[in-house]
Amino acid sequence: EMLYDMLYHGANPNIPSQTGCTALHLTLYHRDIDSAVQVMNRGAELHLLWNKPKRWIGFWDDMGTSEVLALDMISDENALHRVLAAIGKPQKWAPNRPWCMHCKTMLGSFARALHCRHCGRLVCGACSQQSLSPEFFPKSFEIYESSWVCIVCEKILVSRKDDDSTQPTTP
């Protein structure tokens, strides 16, 4: 309820603590997906780095790094889908990492890896098999040519487009 009040009154969800922890990091650390979706709806950035204090016990695979991105804490596909579906503004690209941010496969020297134009995650070729034309993206993304998306965002964006095309038009 406190988070809702802060967001309602215009609080910036991207203001970090001294360690880089944001409201999105905290909601996901506490596995509160409903609050994470609220924070995303208010403009949270997915790819801000948090230097998690050592005394805070992580429940996710940290892949050997102490810097945590919000999405590192999500392993459930449904939770990931909900958070990515709540993206309302273009996301900055995730920092380059030596692994795919979806399947966690290590990226080799010759592996195709790219940033999803919807969520900004760095994913391998197997986790990004489709490019979508501009009409699939929200207008605020200002995308003017077909762009690669990850397999999760592909489902989200195609589903939205399908929903929009089945809505009755009013005269």
Side-chain angles (χ1 to χ4, degrees):
E1 199 170 301
M2 181 184 198
L3 176 63
Y4 175 79
D5 285 342
M6 289 171 51
L7 294 173
Y8 178 78
H9 291 287
N12 181 346
N14 297 311
I15 294 179
S17 70
Q18 291 178 344
T19 62
C21 186
T22 65
L24 184 60
H25 289 109
L26 282 176
T27 60
L28 293 172
Y29 184 82
H30 292 287
R31 299 179 182 157
D32 183 354
I33 302 303
D34 291 336
S35 293
V37 168
Q38 273 188 355
V39 172
M40 288 302 300
N41 284 330
R42 297 296 182 153
E45 289 285 341
L46 288 170
H47 305 300
L48 300 176
L49 290 172
W50 170 36
N51 290 310
K52 181 184 71 62
K54 291 186 186 338
R55 68 182 182 277
W56 287 38
I57 298 170
F59 53 86
W60 59 92
D61 182 359
D62 64 13
M63 303 290 287
T65 181
S66 63
E67 292 182 324
V68 180
L69 296 174
L71 295 179
D72 293 341
M73 295 182 271
I74 302 177
S75 58
D76 176 71
E77 281 292 318
N78 183 49
L80 179 64
H81 187 276
R82 289 184 59 208
V83 170
L84 296 183
I87 292 173
K89 67 175 200 146
Q91 294 291 309
K92 294 177 182 161
W93 285 2
N96 286 341
R97 290 180 154 183
W99 63 86
C100 172
M101 292 180 70
H102 186 71
C103 70
K104 308 293 189 227
T105 299
M106 295 303 286
L107 300 171
S109 302
F110 301 106
R112 182 175 71 98
L114 47 89
H115 287 92
C116 172
R117 295 304 187 264
H118 183 249
C119 68
R121 295 187 303 162
L122 180 68
V123 294
C124 68
C127 293
S128 177
Q129 300 174 352
Q130 201 61 258
S131 67
L132 295 178
S133 58
E135 64 265 12
F136 284 90
F137 293 87
K139 298 277 187 251
S140 64
F141 279 57
E142 297 182 0
I143 295 196
Y144 304 108
E145 60 188 4
S146 290
S147 299
W148 289 98
V149 292
C150 69
I151 56 178
V152 178
C153 289
E154 176 189 353
K155 291 176 189 169
I156 292 166
L157 295 170
V158 168
S159 174
R160 276 189 199 154
K161 180 86 169 134
D162 290 346
D163 287 350
D164 289 347
S165 66
T166 60
Q167 295 294 322
T169 56
T170 54

